[in-house]
Amino acid sequence: MSVSTNAVVTNCVAVGNTNVGIAAGSGVTITNCTSRDNGTHGFETSGHAVFAHCAATSNDARGFSIGSKSIVSSCSSSDNVQDGITVGTGCTVIGASVCSNGIYGINAGAGCLIADNAVQSSGASGIAFSDGSTIRGNTSRAN
């Protein structure tokens, strides 16, 4: 599913797509959506977007591959081949549940806020981040 800029997507499911499950432009809000068993990323944006209460499971690349200045709130990401959640610079990842992803649980660019997440059983580090990021109140175990 490909979504244009400045759109709202709610209560959608993307399963078994050859490429990205849900690809979105800038200014998009995506809530209560599920993306699983897709050929690359579960969710992908090139610019700023908001994701709330979404789930990415068993995708062949990243669960969430998100552009700069985005928000990922109360989402889950598990059993993806690469990272559970990857975000660009200036993003917020808050209240996520991230489990059993192949590389990083959460991989954040510079100047991000990574708060109140539960990350476990990642193939590499539970949480990787760049300069100027704030990491607060997270639980990271068995990574």
Side-chain angles (χ1 to χ4, degrees):
M1 173 187 309
S2 182
V3 180
S4 186
T5 59
N6 301 316
V8 176
V9 180
T10 303
N11 300 321
C12 290
V13 177
V15 179
N17 294 288
T18 304
N19 288 311
V20 176
I22 298 176
S26 293
V28 173
T29 298
I30 299 176
T31 58
N32 298 314
C33 291
T34 299
S35 188
R36 63 180 167 83
D37 299 314
N38 296 294
T40 61
H41 308 307
F43 297 92
E44 180 180 58
T45 65
S46 56
H48 65 280
V50 175
F51 294 84
H53 306 284
C54 293
T57 306
S58 300
N59 295 289
D60 286 346
R62 297 174 180 144
F64 292 82
S65 185
I66 308 304
S68 297
K69 298 185 172 136
S70 294
I71 298 170
V72 178
S73 175
S74 300
C75 293
S76 65
S77 186
S78 62
D79 301 310
N80 298 290
V81 173
Q82 296 177 357
D83 301 340
I85 300 172
T86 295
V87 294
T89 60
C91 291
T92 297
V93 179
I94 189 164
S97 175
V98 184
C99 180
S100 300
N101 293 287
I103 304 176
Y104 297 113
I106 298 172
N107 187 3
C112 291
L113 170 62
I114 310 300
D116 304 320
N117 302 291
V119 183
Q120 67 180 28
S121 303
S122 301
S125 298
I127 301 171
F129 55 92
S130 297
D131 293 343
S133 292
T134 300
I135 313 302
R136 177 181 72 222
N138 299 285
T139 301
S140 180
R141 66 183 189 118
N143 295 290

